[in-house]
Amino acid sequence: MSTDQPVLPPAAPDVAPPMPGPASRPRPSGRANRVPVPLSRPLVGSTVAAGLIGAIAFDQPHTHTVTAAAFGLSGVVALVATGAVRSRYSTLFLTAAAIFASFLAIRSDPRLVAFDAIACYVLLVAAGLFGRGGNPWDVGPHYLAVSAGATLSSWLHLSVDVPLDVAARSRELAPSKNSLTATLGAVGRGLLVGLPIVVVLAVLLAQADAVFASFFDIAPLPIGRPAAYILYFVLATSLIIVAQQRTRRTCDNMAERSQLRLGAIEAMVTLVGLDVLFLAFAASQLISIAGGGDAAIADAGMTYADYARQGFFQLLWVAGITLVVLMGLRSLAASSADFRRSRQLLSCSAVVLTLGIVAIALIRLSLYVADKGQTPLRFYSTVFSVWIGVAFLLVLVRLLGYRPTQAWLTPALLASGLLTLAGLNIINPEAYMVNTSIESHPEGMITLSAKLNADGVTVLANRIDELPADVAASLAEVLCEREFEFGRGSLLAFNRSERQASTALADLCRP
């Protein structure tokens, strides 16, 4: 029996043609792993709502408001609405973002507020990036830099990507006919489109006619020029969309190192230079302790007390720059078996010597605070010194070989910074400064009060009776000049610390 049979070609797989739009058009290599997120009514609605809230928040004179906190929380909702934030790490990041957003309505210190806002947004982006999986403890510095660049690039591409995405996915928003759901969806979309227009026009009419404004009592609404408000809406919406677009990327090659390389000998020369420099500095400290540096101190026109208290800011800069250099050398230096052991030894020596510099900076800071009193700059310098010390300890642990196959150092440094920031929000730095200085330096309270925001003014006004009578009288005059500085905004500009300061000053100045 013949077995010769015609060989048929394999059948083509039954695959639907790709949908036209951003999902199917070719992309540069940097955006090749972009996964489209289908548009939906919850996604569009939450994004528009976040943009409206953000526009109101940006229109406020200050960033520490309940509206700013609501904008951060609405960003969390808008990320959840993508449906692509499913991993446990993304849930953790969203929870942390909500916490830092809440701090915006509680704290008034501009140093904390700025970092709280940055932390909230970075965590939103991280939640989107790890929404589909991935381990953030595997993120190397190169991947972190590439992700930051991709985030900025996506923000610049919004004017092209968003219209194309909407056009490609418009069918998913089209409601079916003869359906109650379709009707409600159409009404909702109509409100989303028409309500902002009606509100803007109503505000303009209210500003033009006092009688019309009295119908609605909307004159105090913090909405300024319509053009500026529209720009604020576009800015707020774009920030949310950029975070949402991070869910379109998969977490591949997170531990990949940069293609840039520094030769092993070059790295060794740099490390030897650092070690020699720091050893010379350590020798100078030993000489000064032994009294051998008195002539040099006198020639500089300083007393020993002046010498012991100066230079802490420079020492902190040295420590910070050294941290960057060591991390850069570790990431960029060529991995050579011949030099790896020597490089590890020199790096560990540099870390230990730098920890000594950090300790000296902390000692000088404490001496300066004990002599001159506490200020916000000195307090935050102390906190930064402690964090730098922790960072160098983490680098030392990494250099000693802990989990060498995992790129955990950069995430650990970022996590330690976020934990430090959260701790500062909890302890309330300005209140801490007042409570610790009111007994040790009562005469400095008047000078300190000029540098305090609502967080510290509240504690100072409540504890003014504990000061000497002459200091309390002078301080009361200074504080009462600021009586109407806090808590005068609308409900949208509410801040807990400012409301407490307003109440404390009212009790002090108008008992």
Side-chain angles (χ1 to χ4, degrees):
M1 181 176 179
S2 174
T3 58
D4 294 336
Q5 297 291 337
V7 179
L8 299 177
D14 186 13
V15 179
M19 179 179 293
S24 59
R25 60 189 175 96
R27 297 208 173 254
S29 58
R31 303 165 75 189
N33 56 352
R34 181 173 181 262
V35 179
V37 176
L39 297 178
S40 63
R41 295 188 186 90
L43 176 63
V44 175
S46 61
T47 303
V48 173
L52 292 173
I53 296 172
I56 298 174
F58 289 147
D59 196 55
Q60 303 300 312
H62 304 290
T63 54
H64 50 278
T65 64
V66 68
T67 315
F71 176 49
L73 295 174
S74 65
V76 174
V77 175
L79 259 293
V80 174
T82 63
V85 182
R86 307 186 188 97
S87 70
R88 56 180 181 136
Y89 283 116
S90 62
T91 303
L92 176 63
F93 290 146
L94 287 179
T95 302
I99 293 174
F100 281 107
S102 301
F103 286 143
L104 297 176
I106 298 175
R107 295 286 165 249
S108 66
D109 188 338
R111 307 165 193 85
L112 284 183
V113 169
F115 282 105
D116 287 340
I118 294 172
C120 177
Y121 189 72
V122 169
L123 287 165
L124 286 178
V125 172
L129 186 61
F130 292 96
R132 298 176 181 273
N135 187 351
W137 295 107
D138 290 330
V139 175
H142 176 66
Y143 184 83
L144 187 66
V146 171
S147 296
T151 301
L152 178 60
S153 175
S154 66
W155 189 78
L156 297 175
H157 284 95
L158 283 183
S159 60
V160 176
D161 281 342
V162 171
L164 288 174
D165 280 347
V166 171
R169 303 304 186 189
S170 58
R171 281 175 284 176
E172 299 173 12
L173 293 175
S176 58
K177 298 181 179 180
N178 301 323
S179 168
L180 177 61
T181 303
T183 303
L184 293 177
V187 172
R189 291 193 303 278
L191 289 175
L192 288 175
V193 174
L195 187 59
I197 299 173
V198 172
V199 170
V200 171
L201 294 178
V203 171
L204 291 175
L205 291 173
Q207 292 176 346
D209 189 276
V211 176
F212 178 77
S214 67
F215 291 167
F216 306 98
D217 194 22
I218 61 173
L221 278 177
I223 301 177
R225 295 161 299 150
Y229 186 72
I230 293 173
L231 289 177
Y232 290 149
F233 172 78
V234 172
L235 174 60
T237 307
S238 67
L239 291 173
I240 298 300
I241 293 176
V242 165
Q244 291 172 332
Q245 284 187 336
R246 296 303 90 200
T247 63
R248 305 182 180 201
R249 302 181 64 88
T250 56
C251 299
D252 299 326
N253 301 322
M254 291 186 295
E256 180 183 2
R257 301 180 67 178
S258 171
Q259 298 300 316
L260 297 175
R261 281 292 178 267
L262 183 67
I265 294 178
E266 290 86 341
M268 293 280 289
V269 170
T270 304
L271 290 172
V272 169
L274 288 177
D275 287 346
V276 171
L277 176 64
F278 294 160
L279 283 172
F281 181 79
S284 71
Q285 301 307 296
L286 293 175
I287 291 173
S288 65
I289 293 174
D294 293 345
I297 294 173
D299 291 340
M302 294 185 296
T303 64
Y304 187 81
D306 295 332
Y307 167 76
R309 293 194 303 262
Q310 60 91 36
F312 45 84
F313 288 122
Q314 292 87 339
L315 295 178
L316 291 181
W317 272 106
V318 168
I321 293 173
T322 304
L323 178 63
V324 174
V325 170
L326 289 177
M327 291 189 65
L329 289 177
R330 182 187 170 278
S331 178
L332 301 178
S335 179
S336 171
D338 297 334
F339 291 95
R340 188 179 298 116
R341 186 77 176 176
S342 299
R343 191 179 66 195
Q344 181 186 33
L345 178 61
L346 290 172
S347 298
C348 290
S349 300
V351 169
V352 173
L353 291 170
T354 309
L355 283 172
I357 292 176
V358 172
I360 293 172
L362 278 171
I363 293 172
R364 293 190 178 187
L365 268 173
S366 63
L367 291 174
Y368 198 83
V369 170
D371 183 46
K372 302 293 185 179
Q374 188 67 272
T375 64
L377 179 59
R378 295 163 196 165
F379 174 81
Y380 285 111
S381 297
T382 303
V383 173
F384 180 71
S385 299
V386 174
W387 179 80
I388 281 287
V390 173
F392 273 106
L393 289 175
L394 291 173
V395 171
L396 183 61
V397 171
R398 177 64 171 172
L399 290 172
L400 292 176
Y402 178 73
R403 293 194 174 183
T405 60
Q406 190 175 31
W408 59 267
L409 178 59
T410 301
L413 292 175
L414 294 176
S416 66
L418 289 173
L419 289 174
T420 301
L421 180 60
L424 288 173
N425 280 279
I426 293 172
I427 69 172
N428 191 354
E430 291 198 348
Y432 173 82
M433 282 184 272
V434 172
N435 287 327
T436 55
S437 301
I438 203 166
E439 296 179 359
S440 59
H441 291 85
E443 70 284 351
M445 289 297 100
I446 297 177
T447 303
L448 179 62
S449 66
K451 302 176 181 178
L452 296 176
N453 295 282
D455 292 318
V457 167
T458 302
V459 181
L460 197 54
N462 289 333
R463 297 191 61 183
I464 195 170
D465 293 336
E466 303 177 26
L467 296 170
D470 56 336
V471 176
S474 300
L475 181 60
E477 294 181 5
V478 173
L479 291 178
C480 288
E481 293 178 357
R482 304 179 65 183
E483 178 183 0
F484 300 104
E485 180 179 336
F486 308 108
R488 299 181 64 187
S490 64
L491 179 62
L492 296 176
F494 173 84
N495 178 271
R496 176 177 173 271
S497 294
E498 292 208 345
R499 181 59 58 86
Q500 289 179 333
S502 178
T503 302
L505 290 178
D507 292 340
L508 174 66
C509 305
R510 291 179 282 123

